[in-house]
Amino acid sequence: MFQNARIKLTAWYVLIIAIISVLFSIAIYVTVNRELERLEHSQIVRQLQWQRLGPGPAIAMPDDIDVSEVRFRIIMTLGLVDASIVLLSSLAGYFLAGRTLAPIAEMVDDQNRFIADASHELRTPLTSLKSEIEVTLRDKKIGLRDTKALLVSNLEEVNKLQNLSDNLIKLTQYHKVNGNMTFKEESIKNIISESMSKVSGVAKAKKIKIISNVKDTKIEVEKNTLTELFVILLDNAVKYSGKGKKVTVESSKTDGHIIVKVADQGIGITKEDVPHIFERFYRGDKSRTKSDTDGYGLGLSIAKEIVSKHNGSIAVESDSGKGTIFSVKLPVKHSLSLI
Ligand code: ADP
């Protein structure tokens, strides 16, 4: 597909350049030809005058230019120039078309990969739903208790599907170049408190304490998405920590930026996984093998999109087996960071 599009684009480039070049040649030829006709005309007049006077020793026969040969040579030169321009523009056009289409091809590849990954993730809960329903339908003596158990299990799969589709929607929404987000001055402390209250249920279930040492600093942000970002980081911190561990959130201020660190004492991330954790659908080896850590590997890609919408950055430091620290750096004034 890419090659086809490249050839078509090259053909368009060449066609446009060829038309311009031929039009120029026609203009040059018309102008030169007018001069040649004038020259031809004056030569004929001179010839006639010479014939009327008759050959004599004093007047020599005029040394005339062969106008039709000059005309032929001009046509040949213009044709040669046009052919060279077409040849050169074909080579340059092919090269330029390749460069123009490369980012588009990359985007299409990326989208195809995204669709393939999303379909793959959707298939797992769907297959499980389907087989559970089929097995139960085959059982002719199924009782109310078994039916209820089936429905509970089905609901679990449906919840997973809903979660996955919600995350996919969020990811595509935040990925849009000009998503309509309104940035307002908010207290970072309030945002962290709100995020903490959203994960308090899961933290409580694992007896994990979340401690906040965040200062009450004002920052220009889109409140809902930033709350979502810290929910993702706190939820991961809880999800990947053992029972009774501690999660801490701290903030500091440097040269027009606020840095918020979310630290846990959990399973940590291996050196091999660290470079990939922000990729879509990537799940670390440890999290894939642990049955109690549900997820699709979309949280951190959403987090990265949110941070980039705020013109900030996100980094991770992790000690496998000991814990992880995620640092989010955000400009205090969003409008100034755009300059
Ligand atoms: P998910 O949690 O659904 O797998 P994420 O995108 O949130 O997806 O995270 C990607 C991977 O990064 C996880 O699978 C896990 O391996 C690793 N990870 C993220 N946060 C932590 C953390 N706090 N502690 C340990 N590993 C983490």
Side-chain angles (χ1 to χ4, degrees):
M1 194 191 103
F2 174 72
Q3 197 57 18
N4 258 353
R6 189 178 188 176
I7 290 169
K8 269 188 205 161
L9 193 60
T10 309
W12 277 109
Y13 285 156
V14 174
L15 184 71
I16 292 166
I17 291 170
I19 290 173
I20 296 171
S21 173
V22 167
L23 285 177
F24 260 114
S25 300
I26 292 172
I28 291 170
Y29 178 75
V30 168
T31 318
V32 173
N33 194 42
R34 211 171 290 145
E35 293 304 316
L36 284 176
E37 275 171 0
R38 211 171 292 154
L39 181 71
E40 203 170 26
H41 182 255
S42 68
Q43 278 187 174
I44 292 167
V45 171
R46 258 193 299 153
Q47 292 267 2
L48 287 173
Q49 275 174 350
W50 184 81
Q51 275 167 13
R52 219 177 300 139
L53 290 169
I59 310 160
M61 166 78 184
D63 196 6
D64 284 346
I65 297 165
D66 187 347
V67 174
S68 40
E69 202 203 310
V70 173
R71 199 175 276 134
F72 174 74
R73 260 191 280 141
I74 287 171
I75 292 172
M76 286 304 284
T77 311
L78 288 174
L80 211 70
V81 169
D82 282 347
S84 317
I85 287 175
V86 167
L87 188 76
L88 277 177
S89 61
S90 309
L91 295 175
Y94 189 72
F95 171 73
L96 283 177
R99 291 200 67 165
T100 312
L101 292 172
I104 301 169
E106 210 173 286
M107 207 173 75
V108 172
D109 280 350
D110 190 46
Q111 263 176 5
N112 286 343
R113 224 175 303 130
F114 180 61
I115 293 168
D117 288 342
S119 322
H120 177 78
E121 295 296 338
L122 282 166
R123 209 164 44 194
T124 317
L126 279 175
T127 312
S128 151
L129 251 178
K130 193 175 167 229
S131 57
E132 274 178 358
I133 295 170
E134 276 171 354
V135 168
T136 316
L137 281 177
R138 251 182 259 136
D139 184 354
K140 292 195 177 92
K141 290 181 214 143
I142 189 160
L144 188 66
R145 243 176 97 196
D146 288 342
T147 318
K148 267 194 178 169
L150 168 80
L151 288 176
V152 169
S153 169
N154 283 176
L155 193 63
E156 232 170 69
E157 299 301 334
V158 171
N159 282 338
K160 277 187 195 168
L161 280 170
Q162 195 177 28
N163 194 322
L164 175 59
S165 73
D166 284 351
N167 279 334
L168 287 173
I169 291 168
K170 273 181 211 159
L171 196 60
T172 42
Q173 245 173 12
Y174 299 149
H175 196 64
K176 275 187 208 155
V177 184
N178 290 319
N180 46 342
M181 289 165 89
T182 323
F183 289 79
K184 278 192 198 146
E185 205 164 76
E186 303 281 350
S187 151
I188 189 77
K189 194 177 178 183
N190 289 350
I191 288 175
I192 299 292
S193 301
E194 206 172 314
S195 312
M196 278 166 60
S197 69
K198 290 195 177 178
V199 295
S200 62
V202 269
K204 215 172 168 187
K206 282 179 89 174
K207 295 192 171 61
I208 289 175
K209 244 195 189 158
I210 305 179
I211 302 157
S212 165
N213 293 318
V214 175
K215 296 183 189 86
D216 193 8
T217 322
K218 294 276 181 223
I219 178 168
E220 232 173 63
V221 291
E222 208 285 327
K223 195 179 170 204
N224 292 338
T225 49
L226 205 68
T227 309
E228 166 103 42
L229 161 74
F230 288 110
V231 168
I232 293 170
L233 297 183
L234 288 171
D235 186 55
N236 275 352
V238 171
K239 197 160 75 173
Y240 297 112
S241 292
K243 274 190 181 159
K245 297 282 183 187
K246 208 166 69 179
V247 174
T248 49
V249 193
E250 282 174 5
S251 73
S252 56
K253 209 174 160 187
T254 50
D255 59 331
H257 288 78
I258 287 183
I259 299 170
V260 182
K261 292 191 178 202
V262 178
D264 65 53
Q265 304 170 326
I267 59 170
I269 307 168
T270 61
K271 277 197 176 68
E272 296 74 43
D273 285 334
V274 167
H276 306 288
I277 55 167
F278 293 100
E279 289 169 16
R280 286 179 320 212
F281 297 107
Y282 188 85
R283 301 206 74 207
D285 258 347
K286 282 186 186 174
S287 33
R288 258 183 272 134
T289 44
K290 278 193 86 174
S291 56
D292 62 331
T293 58
D294 271 351
Y296 292 98
L298 288 175
L300 288 181
S301 354
I302 296 174
K304 201 176 160 202
E305 292 289 348
I306 296 173
V307 170
S308 102
K309 285 277 177 284
H310 282 80
N311 299 320
S313 59
I314 183 165
V316 63
E317 291 165 61
S318 190
D319 217 344
S320 192
K322 288 192 180 153
T324 306
I325 305 173
F326 278 95
S327 310
V328 177
K329 190 175 178 187
L330 300 165
V332 177
K333 290 266 173 230
H334 177 76
S335 38
L336 287 181
S337 70
L338 294 172
I339 300 168

